[in-house]
Amino acid sequence: MEVPIRTLNNGVAIPMIGYGTWQLTDPKVCYDSVLCALEAGYRSIDTAAGYGNEDSVGRAIKDSGIPRKELFITTKLNNPDRGYDSALKAFDISMEKLGLDYLDLYLIHWPGRSNYIASWKAFEKVYAEKRVRAIGLSNFLKHHLESLAQQTDIAPVSDQLEYHPYIAQAETESYCKAHNILVEAWSPLMSGKVALADPVISAIAQAHGKSNAQVILRWHLQSGRRTIPRSVTPARIRENIDIFDFSLSLDEMAAINALCVKNTRSGPHPDEFALD
Ligand code: NDP
C-alpha cells in the first residue's frame, strides 16, 4: 500500500493521509491508537496542543522505532496562546511534549479576530530557524487568507477545514487551489455522524465492495484534499488507509459532491468561534 505524496508549495513532501487524534484524551487509548496507525502504515500524525495528547503521541512515535525522517508530524497553536511571544513559548512546549527536535507542520488552530498576524510572525521566525519544515493554517476562510497574504511574508502551505460530504468549502478551496495551498479535510468522516451513513454513499460503497468510510476518504483524495481520519478501532484504522485499489467514477464523484446542499457543519463556524 502506497500512500500518495504531495509536494507543498515550499517543496516539502507530505503524505495525503494522516491519522487524526482529536478527542483521544485518554493517554493509553491515544498511545495505542497512534502506535496501531503507525504499524498500519500511516506516516503522518495530526495532533494539537488543544487536544491535550501531544505527550502520548510523542511516546507512540518514539516507541514505534520508525526513523524520524520517515514521519510527518503536525501540531497546532492553541487559541489562548495566540500572539507573538505566547506562540513562541507554546511552540517550545509542544516540542517538548512531543519529544521532537523539529516539527513537520505547525498550524494556527483557529483564526480568531485579527491576532493571527502576530502569531504568524512567530511562525515565520521558527520556520526561518528551521525548527519547523512548513507552516500552515486551520479554519482560515478566504477573507482570513487574503488578510494574512497582505500583511505577512511567507505563504501558508496548507489550510485545514471542516470538510465532508455534507459541507462544501468552495470559496476557500478555490482560493487555496489558485494559491497552491493544500486543503486538508478535518472531520473527513463528519466525526462518524450522519454523512457516513448517507444512502448515496452506501450505494457507491456497495457497488465497489468497499465501506462507506473508504468511499468518502477516496472522494477526498480524488478531489485533491489531504485527509486525517481518526478511529480507535484497529480494523477501521487499517481500513481507512486501504483506499488505493479502487477509484470513483466522475458520476460517483458528482453524486457525492451534490450532497453538500445539506450544508451541515459538525463543528463551529470560524467567524464565530474562539474570537478572543
Ligand atoms: P472523523 O471525521 O475522522 O471521524 C471519526 C469517527 O468516525 C469516530 O467516531 C470513528 O469511530 C468513526 N470511524 C472512523 N473510521 C470509521 C470506519 N472506517 N467505519 C465506521 N466508522 C468510522 O473524526 P474527527 O472529527 O476526529 O476528524 C479527524 C481529525 O481531524 C481529528 O482527529 C483531528 O486530528 C482533526 N480535526 C481538526 C480540527 C481543526 O479545527 N483543525 C477540528 C476537528 C478535527 P471509532 O473511533 O469508534 O472507530
Side-chain angles (χ1 to χ4, degrees):
M1 167 237 321
E2 270 304 292
V3 175
I5 301 290
R6 158 109 177 238
T7 303
L8 296 166
N9 65 24
N10 70 343
V12 167
I14 186 170
M16 286 298 274
I17 293 193
Y19 176 75
T21 64
W22 180 43
Q23 294 183 333
L24 303 189
T25 47
D26 179 294
K28 179 166 165 40
V29 171
C30 181
Y31 175 87
D32 288 349
S33 302
V34 172
L35 207 50
C36 175
L38 293 170
E39 282 164 7
Y42 295 75
R43 287 295 175 267
S44 175
I45 307 293
D46 181 89
T47 182
Y51 300 168
N53 60 14
E54 287 170 315
D55 48 353
S56 307
V57 169
R59 275 190 302 112
I61 289 169
K62 185 163 172 265
D63 292 351
S64 75
I66 296 170
R68 174 68 184 93
K69 63 176 187 325
E70 291 179 21
L71 297 171
F72 191 101
I73 311 299
T74 302
T75 193
K76 314 186 190 81
L77 175 70
N78 204 7
N79 299 326
D81 296 323
R82 292 174 188 142
Y84 187 79
D85 291 334
S86 43
L88 290 177
K89 210 175 291 173
F91 180 80
D92 287 342
I93 293 170
S94 283
M95 295 302 286
E96 200 179 313
K97 285 190 175 159
L98 284 163
L100 299 177
D101 53 11
Y102 71 90
L103 185 68
D104 296 284
L105 178 59
Y106 198 35
L107 306 179
I108 298 181
H109 206 150
W110 290 87
R113 259 199 194 89
S114 61
N115 57 0
Y116 52 82
I117 302 294
S119 304
W120 191 253
K121 303 266 183 198
F123 276 45
E124 291 180 334
K125 181 175 187 318
V126 289
Y127 179 67
E129 292 168 350
K130 300 197 186 315
R131 300 182 66 202
V132 57
R133 297 171 71 222
I135 50 177
L137 305 166
S138 167
N139 297 301
F140 275 55
L141 304 177
K142 182 177 176 228
H143 71 91
H144 300 115
L145 293 166
E146 285 172 338
S147 151
L148 188 86
Q150 281 159 13
Q151 299 177 70
T152 59
D153 297 325
I154 301 176
V157 297
S158 60
D159 190 8
Q160 197 173 108
L161 302 167
E162 178 174 352
Y163 217 132
H164 45 70
Y166 280 11
I167 188 168
Q169 300 275 7
E171 193 183 57
T172 302
E173 191 170 36
S174 68
Y175 179 95
C176 286
K177 280 196 173 138
H179 293 83
N180 198 13
I181 297 168
L182 176 66
V183 172
E184 298 187 88
W186 68 249
S187 292
L189 305 173
M190 204 185 179
S191 284
K193 296 187 201 131
V194 277
L196 190 52
D198 187 282
V200 169
I201 309 282
S202 301
I204 296 171
Q206 207 172 359
H208 287 276
K210 288 285 173 181
S211 73
N212 286 28
Q214 287 173 314
V215 165
I216 294 176
L217 295 170
R218 182 77 208 178
W219 165 73
H220 283 297
L221 193 70
Q222 285 185 219
S223 306
R225 286 187 292 277
R226 168 174 150 89
T227 57
I228 43 174
R230 160 185 56 101
S231 173
V232 296
T233 313
R236 289 174 173 174
I237 292 174
R238 291 189 280 273
E239 177 186 315
N240 292 346
I241 204 172
D242 178 20
I243 59 164
F244 309 114
D245 60 352
F246 76 111
S247 54
L248 302 174
S249 69
L250 288 177
D251 284 349
E252 289 168 334
M253 291 292 289
I256 303 175
N257 286 336
L259 297 175
C260 73
V261 291
K262 300 202 183 254
N263 199 23
T264 310
R265 285 180 186 274
S266 68
H269 192 291
D271 279 335
E272 292 161 9
F273 183 67
L275 297 180
D276 296 328

